[in-house]
Coordinates of all heavy atoms in Angstrom, one line a residue:
M7 N 27.2 14.7 -2.3 CA 26.8 13.5 -3.1 C 26.1 12.5 -2.2 O 26.5 12.4 -1.1 CB 27.9 12.9 -3.7 CG 27.7 11.6 -4.4 SD 29.2 10.8 -4.9 CE 29.1 11.3 -6.6
K8 N 25.0 12.0 -2.7 CA 24.3 11.0 -1.9 C 24.7 9.7 -2.3 O 24.9 9.3 -3.5 CB 22.8 11.2 -2.1 CG 22.2 12.5 -1.7 CD 20.8 12.6 -1.9 CE 20.1 13.9 -1.3 NZ 18.8 14.0 -1.7
H9 N 25.0 8.8 -1.3 CA 25.4 7.5 -1.7 C 24.4 6.4 -1.2 O 23.8 6.8 -0.2 CB 26.7 7.3 -0.9 CG 27.8 8.0 -1.4 ND1 28.8 7.6 -2.4 CD2 28.3 9.3 -1.0 CE1 29.6 8.6 -2.6 NE2 29.3 9.6 -1.7
F10 N 24.1 5.5 -1.9 CA 23.1 4.5 -1.5 C 23.6 3.1 -1.4 O 24.6 2.7 -2.1 CB 22.0 4.5 -2.7 CG 21.3 5.8 -2.9 CD1 21.7 6.7 -3.7 CD2 20.2 6.2 -2.1 CE1 21.1 8.1 -3.9 CE2 19.6 7.4 -2.2 CZ 20.0 8.3 -3.1
T11 N 23.0 2.3 -0.7 CA 23.2 1.0 -0.5 C 21.9 0.2 -0.6 O 20.9 0.8 -0.3 CB 23.9 0.7 0.8 OG1 24.3 -0.8 0.8 CG2 23.1 1.0 2.0
V12 N 22.0 -1.1 -1.0 CA 20.8 -1.9 -1.0 C 20.7 -2.5 0.3 O 21.4 -3.2 0.9 CB 20.9 -3.0 -2.1 CG1 19.6 -3.8 -2.1 CG2 21.1 -2.3 -3.4
V13 N 19.4 -2.3 0.9 CA 19.0 -2.9 2.1 C 17.7 -3.7 1.9 O 16.9 -3.4 1.1 CB 18.9 -1.9 3.3 CG1 20.1 -1.3 3.7 CG2 17.7 -1.0 3.0
Q14 N 17.5 -4.8 2.7 CA 16.3 -5.6 2.6 C 15.3 -4.9 3.6 O 15.7 -4.9 4.7 CB 16.6 -7.0 2.9 CG 15.3 -7.9 2.7 CD 15.6 -9.4 2.8 OE1 16.7 -9.7 3.3 NE2 14.7 -10.3 2.3
E15 N 14.1 -4.5 3.1 CA 13.1 -3.9 4.0 C 12.0 -5.0 4.2 O 11.4 -5.4 3.2 CB 12.6 -2.7 3.4 CG 11.7 -1.9 4.3 CD 11.3 -0.6 3.5 OE1 12.2 0.1 3.2 OE2 10.0 -0.4 3.4
L16 N 11.8 -5.2 5.5 CA 10.7 -6.1 5.7 C 9.4 -5.2 6.1 O 9.5 -4.2 6.9 CB 11.0 -6.9 7.0 CG 12.1 -7.9 6.8 CD1 12.4 -8.6 8.1 CD2 11.9 -8.9 5.7
K17 N 8.2 -5.5 5.5 CA 7.1 -4.8 5.9 C 5.9 -5.7 5.9 O 5.9 -6.8 5.1 CB 6.8 -3.7 4.9 CG 6.6 -4.1 3.5 CD 6.3 -2.8 2.6 CE 6.2 -3.1 1.2 NZ 5.9 -2.0 0.3
N18 N 4.9 -5.5 6.6 CA 3.7 -6.3 6.8 C 2.8 -5.9 5.6 O 2.5 -4.8 5.2 CB 3.0 -6.1 8.1 CG 3.8 -6.5 9.2 OD1 4.5 -7.6 9.2 ND2 3.7 -5.9 10.4
I19 N 2.2 -6.9 4.9 CA 1.2 -6.8 4.0 C 0.0 -7.5 4.3 O 0.1 -8.5 4.9 CB 1.7 -7.1 2.5 CG1 2.1 -8.6 2.5 CG2 2.9 -6.3 2.1 CD1 2.5 -9.2 1.1
E20 N -1.2 -7.1 3.8 CA -2.3 -7.8 4.1 C -2.6 -8.9 3.0 O -2.3 -8.7 1.9 CB -3.6 -6.9 3.9 CG -3.8 -6.1 5.2 CD -5.1 -5.2 5.0 OE1 -6.0 -5.6 4.2 OE2 -5.2 -4.2 5.7
K21 N -3.0 -10.0 3.5 CA -3.0 -11.2 2.6 C -4.4 -11.8 3.0 O -4.6 -12.1 4.2 CB -1.9 -12.2 2.7 CG -2.1 -13.3 1.9 CD -0.9 -14.3 2.0 CE -1.0 -15.6 1.0 NZ 0.0 -16.6 1.2
H22 N -5.2 -12.0 1.9 CA -6.5 -12.6 2.2 C -6.4 -13.9 2.6 O -5.8 -14.8 2.1 CB -7.3 -12.4 0.9 CG -8.7 -13.1 1.0 ND1 -9.1 -14.2 0.3 CD2 -9.8 -12.6 1.8 CE1 -10.4 -14.4 0.7 NE2 -10.8 -13.6 1.5
T23 N -6.9 -14.2 3.7 CA -6.9 -15.7 4.4 C -8.3 -16.3 4.3 O -8.3 -17.5 3.9 CB -6.5 -15.6 5.8 OG1 -7.4 -14.8 6.6 CG2 -5.1 -15.1 5.9
H24 N -9.3 -15.7 4.5 CA -10.7 -16.3 4.3 C -11.7 -15.2 4.2 O -11.4 -14.0 4.6 CB -11.0 -17.3 5.3 CG -10.9 -16.6 6.7 ND1 -9.9 -16.2 7.4 CD2 -12.1 -16.5 7.5 CE1 -10.4 -15.7 8.7 NE2 -11.6 -15.8 8.7
S25 N -13.0 -15.5 3.9 CA -14.1 -14.7 3.9 C -15.2 -15.2 4.8 O -15.4 -16.5 4.8 CB -14.7 -14.5 2.4 OG -13.6 -14.0 1.6
T26 N -15.8 -14.3 5.4 CA -17.1 -14.8 6.2 C -18.3 -14.1 5.5 O -18.3 -13.0 5.0 CB -16.9 -14.4 7.6 OG1 -16.7 -13.0 7.7 CG2 -15.8 -15.2 8.3
C27 N -19.5 -14.8 5.7 CA -20.7 -14.4 5.2 C -21.2 -13.1 6.1 O -21.1 -13.1 7.2 CB -21.7 -15.5 5.5 SG -23.4 -15.0 4.9
D28 N -21.6 -12.1 5.3 CA -22.1 -10.9 6.0 C -23.4 -11.0 6.6 O -23.9 -10.0 7.3 CB -22.2 -9.7 5.0 CG -20.8 -9.3 4.6 OD1 -19.8 -9.5 5.4 OD2 -20.5 -8.9 3.5
K29 N -24.2 -12.2 6.5 CA -25.5 -12.5 7.1 C -25.3 -13.4 8.4 O -25.5 -13.0 9.5 CB -26.4 -13.0 6.3 CG -27.8 -13.1 6.9 CD -28.9 -13.6 6.1 CE -30.2 -13.7 6.8 NZ -30.4 -14.9 7.6
C30 N -24.8 -14.6 8.2 CA -24.8 -15.5 9.1 C -23.3 -15.6 9.8 O -23.3 -16.2 10.9 CB -25.1 -17.0 8.5 SG -24.0 -17.7 7.5
G31 N -22.3 -15.1 9.2 CA -21.0 -15.1 9.8 C -20.2 -16.3 9.6 O -19.0 -16.2 10.0
K32 N -20.7 -17.3 9.0 CA -19.9 -18.4 8.8 C -18.8 -18.3 7.8 O -19.1 -17.5 6.8 CB -20.7 -19.8 8.6 CG -21.3 -19.9 7.3 CD -22.1 -21.2 7.2 CE -22.6 -21.4 5.8 NZ -23.5 -22.6 5.8
E33 N -17.9 -19.1 7.8 CA -16.7 -19.0 6.8 C -17.2 -19.4 5.4 O -18.0 -20.4 5.3 CB -15.5 -19.8 7.1 CG -14.4 -19.6 6.3 CD -13.3 -20.5 6.7 OE1 -13.1 -20.8 7.8 OE2 -12.3 -20.6 5.9
I34 N -16.9 -18.6 4.5 CA -17.3 -19.1 3.0 C -16.1 -19.9 2.4 O -15.0 -19.4 2.2 CB -17.5 -17.8 2.2 CG1 -18.5 -17.0 2.8 CG2 -17.8 -18.2 0.7 CD1 -18.8 -15.6 2.1
K35 N -16.5 -21.2 2.3 CA -15.5 -22.1 1.8 C -15.5 -22.3 0.3 O -16.7 -22.3 -0.3 CB -15.5 -23.4 2.4 CG -15.4 -23.4 3.9 CD -15.2 -24.8 4.5 CE -15.1 -24.6 6.1 NZ -13.8 -24.9 6.6
K36 N -14.4 -22.1 -0.3 CA -14.3 -22.3 -1.7 C -13.9 -23.8 -2.1 O -12.8 -24.2 -1.6 CB -13.3 -21.4 -2.4 CG -13.8 -19.9 -2.4 CD -12.9 -19.1 -3.3 CE -13.5 -17.7 -3.4 NZ -13.8 -17.4 -4.7
E37 N -14.7 -24.5 -2.7 CA -14.5 -25.9 -3.2 C -13.8 -25.8 -4.5 O -14.1 -24.9 -5.3 CB -15.7 -26.7 -3.3 CG -16.5 -26.6 -2.0 CD -15.8 -27.4 -0.7 OE1 -15.0 -28.3 -1.1 OE2 -16.1 -27.1 0.3
T38 N -13.0 -26.7 -4.8 CA -12.2 -26.9 -6.1 C -13.2 -26.7 -7.2 O -12.9 -26.0 -8.3 CB -11.4 -28.0 -6.1 OG1 -10.6 -28.1 -5.0 CG2 -10.5 -28.0 -7.4
Y39 N -14.3 -27.5 -7.3 CA -15.2 -27.4 -8.5 C -16.4 -26.6 -8.2 O -17.4 -26.7 -9.0 CB -15.5 -28.9 -8.7 CG -14.3 -29.8 -9.0 CD1 -13.9 -30.8 -8.1 CD2 -13.7 -29.7 -10.2 CE1 -12.7 -31.4 -8.3 CE2 -12.6 -30.4 -10.5 CZ -12.1 -31.3 -9.6 OH -11.0 -32.1 -9.9
N40 N -16.4 -25.8 -7.3 CA -17.5 -24.9 -7.1 C -17.2 -23.5 -7.6 O -16.2 -22.9 -7.3 CB -17.7 -24.8 -5.4 CG -19.0 -24.0 -5.3 OD1 -19.5 -23.4 -6.1 ND2 -19.4 -24.0 -4.0
A41 N -18.0 -23.1 -8.6 CA -17.9 -21.9 -9.3 C -18.6 -20.6 -8.5 O -18.5 -19.6 -9.0 CB -18.4 -22.0 -10.7
Y42 N -19.0 -21.0 -7.4 CA -19.7 -20.0 -6.6 C -18.9 -18.8 -6.2 O -17.6 -19.1 -5.8 CB -20.3 -20.5 -5.4 CG -20.9 -19.6 -4.3 CD1 -22.1 -19.0 -4.8 CD2 -20.3 -19.2 -3.4 CE1 -22.7 -17.9 -4.0 CE2 -21.0 -18.2 -2.5 CZ -22.1 -17.6 -2.8 OH -22.7 -16.7 -2.0
N43 N -19.3 -17.5 -6.4 CA -18.6 -16.3 -6.2 C -19.2 -15.6 -5.1 O -20.3 -14.9 -5.1 CB -18.4 -15.5 -7.5 CG -17.7 -14.3 -7.3 OD1 -17.1 -14.0 -6.2 ND2 -17.5 -13.5 -8.2
E44 N -18.6 -15.5 -4.0 CA -19.1 -14.7 -2.7 C -19.3 -13.3 -2.9 O -20.0 -12.7 -2.2 CB -18.2 -15.0 -1.5 CG -17.1 -14.3 -1.3 CD -15.9 -15.0 -1.8 OE1 -15.9 -16.0 -2.6 OE2 -14.7 -14.6 -1.5
D45 N -18.6 -12.7 -3.9 CA -18.5 -11.2 -4.1 C -19.7 -10.8 -5.2 O -19.5 -9.9 -5.8 CB -17.3 -10.8 -4.7 CG -16.2 -11.0 -3.6 OD1 -16.5 -11.0 -2.4 OD2 -15.0 -11.0 -4.0
W46 N -20.9 -11.6 -5.3 CA -21.6 -11.5 -6.5 C -22.5 -10.2 -6.2 O -23.0 -9.7 -7.2 CB -22.5 -12.6 -6.7 CG -23.5 -12.9 -5.5 CD1 -23.2 -13.8 -4.6 CD2 -24.7 -12.5 -5.4 NE1 -24.3 -14.0 -3.7 CE2 -25.3 -13.0 -4.2 CE3 -25.6 -11.6 -6.1 CZ2 -26.5 -12.8 -3.7 CZ3 -26.9 -11.3 -5.5 CH2 -27.3 -11.9 -4.5
F47 N -22.6 -9.6 -5.0 CA -23.5 -8.5 -4.9 C -22.6 -7.3 -4.6 O -22.0 -7.1 -3.6 CB -24.4 -8.6 -3.7 CG -25.3 -7.5 -3.5 CD1 -26.6 -7.5 -4.0 CD2 -25.1 -6.4 -2.7 CE1 -27.4 -6.5 -3.8 CE2 -25.8 -5.4 -2.6 CZ -27.1 -5.3 -3.1
E48 N -22.6 -6.4 -5.6 CA -21.8 -5.2 -5.6 C -22.4 -4.2 -6.5 O -22.5 -4.5 -7.8 CB -20.3 -5.5 -6.0 CG -19.4 -4.3 -5.8 CD -18.0 -4.6 -5.9 OE1 -17.7 -5.7 -6.6 OE2 -17.1 -3.9 -5.6
I49 N -22.6 -2.9 -6.0 CA -23.0 -1.8 -6.8 C -22.0 -0.8 -6.6 O -21.8 -0.3 -5.5 CB -24.4 -1.4 -6.3 CG1 -25.4 -2.6 -6.5 CG2 -24.9 -0.2 -7.1 CD1 -26.8 -2.3 -5.9
K50 N -21.6 -0.2 -7.7 CA -20.7 1.0 -7.7 C -21.3 2.1 -8.5 O -21.8 1.9 -9.7 CB -19.4 0.8 -8.4 CG -18.5 -0.3 -7.7 CD -17.1 -0.5 -8.3 CE -16.4 -1.6 -7.5 NZ -15.2 -2.0 -8.4
E51 N -21.3 3.2 -8.0 CA -21.8 4.5 -8.6 C -20.9 5.6 -8.5 O -20.3 5.8 -7.5 CB -23.1 4.9 -7.8 CG -24.3 3.9 -8.0 CD -25.5 4.3 -7.2 OE1 -25.3 4.9 -6.0 OE2 -26.6 4.0 -7.6
G52 N -20.5 6.2 -9.6 CA -19.6 7.3 -9.5 C -18.9 7.5 -10.8 O -19.4 7.2 -11.8
H53 N -17.6 8.1 -10.7 CA -16.8 8.3 -12.0 C -15.3 7.7 -11.7 O -14.8 7.9 -10.7 CB -16.8 9.8 -12.2 CG -18.1 10.5 -12.3 ND1 -18.9 10.4 -13.3 CD2 -18.7 11.2 -11.3 CE1 -19.9 11.1 -13.0 NE2 -19.9 11.6 -11.8
I54 N -15.1 6.9 -12.8 CA -13.7 6.4 -12.7 C -13.0 6.8 -14.0 O -13.6 6.6 -15.1 CB -13.9 4.9 -12.7 CG1 -14.5 4.4 -11.4 CG2 -12.4 4.2 -12.7 CD1 -14.8 2.9 -11.3
Y55 N -11.8 7.5 -13.9 CA -11.1 7.9 -15.0 C -9.8 7.4 -14.8 O -9.3 7.0 -13.6 CB -11.0 9.5 -15.0 CG -12.2 10.1 -15.2 CD1 -12.9 10.8 -14.0 CD2 -13.0 10.2 -16.3 CE1 -14.1 11.3 -14.1 CE2 -14.3 10.8 -16.4 CZ -14.8 11.3 -15.3 OH -16.0 11.9 -15.3
P56 N -8.9 7.4 -15.9 CA -7.5 6.7 -15.7 C -6.8 7.5 -14.6 O -5.9 6.8 -13.8 CB -6.8 6.9 -16.9 CG -8.0 7.1 -18.1 CD -9.1 7.6 -17.3
E57 N -6.9 8.8 -14.4 CA -6.0 9.5 -13.5 C -6.7 9.5 -12.0 O -6.0 10.1 -11.1 CB -5.8 11.0 -14.0 CG -7.1 11.8 -14.1 CD -7.8 11.7 -15.4 OE1 -7.4 10.8 -16.3 OE2 -8.8 12.3 -15.6
G58 N -7.8 9.0 -11.9 CA -8.5 8.9 -10.6 C -9.9 8.9 -10.7 O -10.5 8.9 -11.8
G59 N -10.6 8.9 -9.6 CA -12.0 8.9 -9.7 C -12.6 8.9 -8.3 O -12.0 8.9 -7.2
C60 N -13.9 8.8 -8.2 CA -14.6 8.7 -7.0 C -15.9 7.9 -7.2 O -16.5 8.2 -8.1 CB -15.0 10.2 -6.6 SG -16.0 10.1 -5.0
F61 N -16.2 6.9 -6.4 CA -17.4 6.2 -6.4 C -17.8 5.6 -5.1 O -16.8 5.5 -4.2 CB -17.3 5.1 -7.5 CG -16.2 4.0 -7.2 CD1 -16.6 2.9 -6.5 CD2 -15.0 4.1 -7.9 CE1 -15.6 1.8 -6.2 CE2 -14.1 3.1 -7.6 CZ -14.4 2.0 -6.7
S62 N -19.0 5.3 -5.1 CA -19.4 4.9 -3.7 C -20.5 3.7 -4.1 O -20.7 3.5 -5.2 CB -20.1 5.8 -3.0 OG -21.3 6.3 -3.7
G63 N -20.9 2.8 -3.1 CA -21.7 1.8 -3.5 C -22.0 1.0 -2.3 O -21.8 1.2 -1.2
Y64 N -22.3 -0.3 -2.7 CA -22.6 -1.3 -1.8 C -22.0 -2.6 -2.1 O -21.8 -2.9 -3.3 CB -24.2 -1.6 -1.7 CG -25.0 -0.3 -1.4 CD1 -25.4 0.5 -2.4 CD2 -25.1 0.1 -0.1 CE1 -26.1 1.6 -2.2 CE2 -25.8 1.2 0.2 CZ -26.2 2.0 -0.9 OH -27.1 3.1 -0.6
K65 N -21.5 -3.4 -1.2 CA -20.9 -4.7 -1.4 C -21.4 -5.6 -0.3 O -21.3 -5.2 0.9 CB -19.4 -4.6 -1.5 CG -18.8 -5.9 -1.8 CD -17.2 -5.6 -2.0 CE -16.6 -6.9 -2.3 NZ -15.0 -6.7 -2.3
M66 N -21.5 -6.9 -0.8 CA -22.0 -7.9 0.4 C -21.4 -9.2 0.0 O -21.4 -9.5 -1.2 CB -23.5 -7.9 0.5 CG -24.0 -8.8 1.5 SD -25.8 -8.6 1.8 CE -26.5 -8.7 0.1
E67 N -20.8 -9.9 1.0 CA -20.3 -11.2 0.7 C -21.3 -12.1 1.4 O -21.4 -12.0 2.6 CB -18.9 -11.3 1.2 CG -17.9 -10.4 0.5 CD -16.5 -10.5 1.0 OE1 -16.3 -11.1 2.0 OE2 -15.6 -9.7 0.4
L68 N -21.7 -13.1 0.7 CA -22.7 -14.0 1.3 C -22.3 -15.4 1.0 O -21.7 -15.8 -0.1 CB -24.1 -13.8 0.6 CG -24.9 -12.5 0.9 CD1 -26.1 -12.6 0.3 CD2 -25.1 -12.4 2.5
C69 N -22.6 -16.3 1.9 CA -22.3 -17.8 1.8 C -23.4 -18.2 0.8 O -24.4 -17.5 0.5 CB -22.4 -18.5 3.1 SG -23.9 -18.7 3.8
E70 N -23.1 -19.4 0.3 CA -24.2 -20.0 -0.7 C -25.6 -20.1 -0.2 O -26.5 -19.8 -0.8 CB -23.7 -21.3 -1.2 CG -24.2 -21.9 -2.4 CD -23.5 -22.9 -3.3 OE1 -22.3 -23.2 -2.7 OE2 -23.9 -23.5 -4.2
D71 N -25.6 -20.6 1.2 CA -27.0 -20.7 1.8 C -27.8 -19.3 1.8 O -28.9 -19.3 1.5 CB -27.0 -21.4 3.1 CG -26.6 -23.0 3.0 OD1 -26.6 -23.5 2.0 OD2 -25.9 -23.4 4.1
C72 N -27.1 -18.4 2.3 CA -27.7 -17.1 2.5 C -28.0 -16.4 1.0 O -28.8 -15.6 0.9 CB -26.8 -16.1 3.3 SG -26.8 -16.7 5.0
S73 N -27.2 -16.8 0.1 CA -27.3 -16.2 -1.3 C -28.7 -16.8 -1.7 O -29.5 -16.1 -2.4 CB -26.3 -16.6 -2.2 OG -25.0 -15.9 -1.9
H74 N -28.9 -18.2 -1.6 CA -30.2 -18.7 -2.1 C -31.4 -18.1 -1.2 O -32.4 -17.8 -1.9 CB -30.2 -20.2 -1.8 CG -29.2 -20.9 -2.8 ND1 -29.5 -20.9 -4.1 CD2 -28.1 -21.5 -2.6 CE1 -28.4 -21.6 -4.8 NE2 -27.6 -21.9 -3.8
E75 N -31.2 -17.9 0.1 CA -32.3 -17.2 0.9 C -32.6 -15.8 0.3 O -33.8 -15.4 0.2 CB -31.8 -17.3 2.3 CG -32.8 -16.7 3.3 CD -32.4 -16.6 4.7 OE1 -31.4 -17.4 5.1 OE2 -32.9 -15.8 5.5
L76 N -31.5 -15.0 -0.1 CA -31.8 -13.7 -0.6 C -32.5 -13.8 -1.9 O -33.3 -12.9 -2.2 CB -30.3 -13.0 -0.7 CG -30.5 -11.6 -1.3 CD1 -31.4 -10.7 -0.3 CD2 -29.1 -10.8 -1.4
V77 N -32.1 -14.7 -2.8 CA -32.8 -14.9 -4.0 C -34.4 -15.1 -3.8 O -35.1 -14.6 -4.4 CB -32.2 -16.0 -4.8 CG1 -33.1 -16.3 -6.1 CG2 -30.8 -15.6 -5.3
E78 N -34.6 -15.9 -2.8 CA -36.0 -16.2 -2.5 C -36.8 -14.9 -2.0 O -37.9 -14.6 -2.4 CB -36.1 -17.4 -1.5 CG -35.6 -18.7 -2.2 CD -36.3 -19.0 -3.4 OE1 -37.7 -19.0 -3.5 OE2 -35.7 -19.5 -4.3
I79 N -36.0 -14.2 -1.1 CA -36.6 -13.0 -0.6 C -37.0 -11.9 -1.7 O -38.0 -11.4 -1.8 CB -35.6 -12.3 0.5 CG1 -35.7 -13.2 1.7 CG2 -36.1 -10.9 0.8 CD1 -34.6 -12.8 2.7
L80 N -35.9 -11.8 -2.6 CA -36.1 -10.9 -3.7 C -37.2 -11.4 -4.6 O -38.0 -10.5 -5.1 CB -34.8 -10.8 -4.5 CG -33.6 -10.0 -3.8 CD1 -32.4 -10.2 -4.6 CD2 -33.9 -8.7 -3.5
K81 N -37.3 -12.7 -4.9 CA -38.3 -13.2 -5.8 C -39.7 -12.8 -5.1 O -40.7 -12.4 -5.8 CB -38.3 -14.6 -6.1 CG -37.3 -15.0 -7.0 CD -37.2 -16.5 -7.1 CE -36.1 -17.0 -8.2 NZ -36.3 -18.5 -8.3
F82 N -39.8 -13.1 -3.8 CA -41.0 -12.8 -3.1 C -41.5 -11.3 -3.2 O -42.7 -11.0 -3.1 CB -40.9 -13.2 -1.6 CG -42.1 -13.1 -0.8 CD1 -43.1 -14.1 -0.9 CD2 -42.3 -12.0 0.0 CE1 -44.4 -13.8 -0.1 CE2 -43.3 -11.8 0.8 CZ -44.4 -12.8 0.7
N83 N -40.6 -10.5 -3.2 CA -40.8 -9.0 -3.3 C -40.9 -8.4 -4.7 O -40.9 -7.2 -4.9 CB -39.8 -8.3 -2.4 CG -39.9 -8.5 -1.0 OD1 -40.9 -7.9 -0.5 ND2 -39.1 -9.2 -0.3
G84 N -41.0 -9.3 -5.7 CA -41.4 -8.9 -7.1 C -40.2 -8.8 -7.9 O -40.3 -8.4 -9.1
F85 N -39.0 -9.1 -7.6 CA -37.8 -9.0 -8.5 C -37.9 -10.2 -9.3 O -38.0 -11.4 -8.9 CB -36.6 -8.9 -7.6 CG -36.3 -7.6 -6.9 CD1 -36.9 -7.3 -5.7 CD2 -35.6 -6.7 -7.6 CE1 -36.7 -6.2 -4.9 CE2 -35.4 -5.5 -6.8 CZ -35.9 -5.2 -5.5
N86 N -37.6 -10.0 -10.7 CA -37.7 -11.0 -11.7 C -36.3 -11.6 -11.8 O -35.4 -10.8 -12.4 CB -38.2 -10.5 -12.9 CG -38.2 -11.6 -13.9 OD1 -38.2 -12.8 -13.6 ND2 -38.3 -11.1 -15.2
I87 N -35.9 -12.6 -11.1 CA -34.6 -13.1 -11.2 C -34.6 -14.4 -12.0 O -35.3 -15.3 -11.8 CB -34.0 -13.5 -9.8 CG1 -34.0 -12.2 -8.9 CG2 -32.7 -14.2 -9.8 CD1 -33.7 -12.5 -7.4
Q88 N -33.8 -14.3 -13.2 CA -33.7 -15.4 -14.3 C -32.8 -16.5 -13.6 O -31.7 -16.3 -13.0 CB -33.2 -14.8 -15.5 CG -34.1 -13.7 -16.0 CD -33.6 -13.1 -17.3 OE1 -32.5 -13.6 -17.9 NE2 -34.1 -12.1 -17.7
E89 N -33.4 -17.7 -13.8 CA -32.6 -18.9 -13.4 C -31.6 -19.2 -14.6 O -32.1 -19.2 -15.7 CB -33.5 -20.1 -13.0 CG -34.2 -19.7 -11.8 CD -34.8 -21.0 -11.2 OE1 -34.3 -22.1 -11.5 OE2 -35.9 -20.7 -10.4
V90 N -30.4 -19.5 -14.3 CA -29.4 -19.9 -15.4 C -28.8 -21.3 -15.2 O -28.5 -21.6 -14.0 CB -28.3 -18.7 -15.4 CG1 -27.3 -19.1 -16.5 CG2 -28.8 -17.4 -15.5
V91 N -28.8 -22.0 -16.2 CA -28.1 -23.4 -16.3 C -27.1 -23.4 -17.3 O -27.5 -23.0 -18.5 CB -29.2 -24.5 -16.4 CG1 -28.5 -25.8 -16.5 CG2 -30.2 -24.5 -15.3
I92 N -25.9 -23.7 -16.9 CA -24.8 -23.7 -17.9 C -24.1 -25.0 -17.8 O -23.7 -25.5 -16.7 CB -23.8 -22.5 -17.5 CG1 -24.4 -21.2 -17.5 CG2 -22.5 -22.6 -18.5 CD1 -23.5 -20.1 -17.1
E93 N -24.2 -25.6 -19.0 CA -23.6 -27.0 -19.0 C -22.4 -27.0 -20.1 O -22.6 -26.3 -21.2 CB -24.5 -28.1 -19.4 CG -25.5 -28.3 -18.4 CD -26.5 -29.3 -18.8 OE1 -26.1 -30.3 -19.6 OE2 -27.6 -29.4 -18.3
Y94 N -21.3 -27.4 -19.7 CA -20.2 -27.5 -20.8 C -19.2 -28.7 -20.6 O -19.4 -29.3 -19.6 CB -19.4 -26.1 -20.9 CG -18.7 -25.8 -19.6 CD1 -17.5 -26.1 -19.4 CD2 -19.4 -25.2 -18.6 CE1 -16.8 -25.8 -18.2 CE2 -18.7 -24.8 -17.6 CZ -17.5 -25.1 -17.2 OH -16.8 -24.7 -16.0
Ligands
ZN113 ZN1 -24.5 -17.0 5.3

């Protein structure tokens, strides 16, 4: 017969502390009233099913300044990026 007792197990877990820009390297600060999302560039390709899947892609975290710079670079190279204004 196996007997069990309850023990408290301590283990290290990863906790997100901050993000840095993948271009300039500076810390991406989140302001309380800033809706900016540093994870806006992400492409996933592959298959995802409930039991598992496989995908690959690209992801980039950018600060607000570098994001604006990238938008200008993309516009200059012919990408049609729509400007959006949301008021509520
Ligand atoms: Zn940056």
Side-chain angles (χ1 to χ4, degrees):
M7 170 184 268
K8 294 179 180 177
H9 298 267
F10 297 92
T11 185
V12 176
V13 295
Q14 186 175 14
E15 183 176 309
L16 299 176
K17 61 181 180 179
N18 293 328
I19 59 170
E20 284 188 15
K21 183 177 180 186
H22 178 246
T23 57
H24 66 285
S25 297
T26 54
C27 177
D28 288 331
K29 181 175 185 283
C30 70
K32 77 179 181 185
E33 184 176 345
I34 300 171
K35 297 191 184 257
K36 287 194 176 241
E37 304 294 335
T38 304
Y39 298 105
N40 187 348
Y42 175 72
N43 181 359
E44 78 268 17
D45 295 333
W46 65 269
F47 185 88
E48 186 173 16
I49 298 172
K50 291 179 182 175
E51 298 172 323
H53 306 284
I54 300 173
Y55 303 104
E57 64 274 6
C60 178
F61 63 88
S62 61
Y64 304 94
K65 181 177 179 182
M66 183 167 55
E67 295 177 359
L68 292 176
C69 71
E70 198 163 353
D71 291 339
C72 290
S73 295
H74 289 293
E75 183 180 335
L76 179 59
V77 167
E78 294 306 316
I79 291 169
L80 292 172
K81 283 181 176 178
F82 181 79
N83 284 286
F85 289 85
N86 183 19
I87 300 176
Q88 300 174 12
E89 293 188 27
V90 178
V91 176
I92 301 172
E93 294 183 27
Y94 60 93

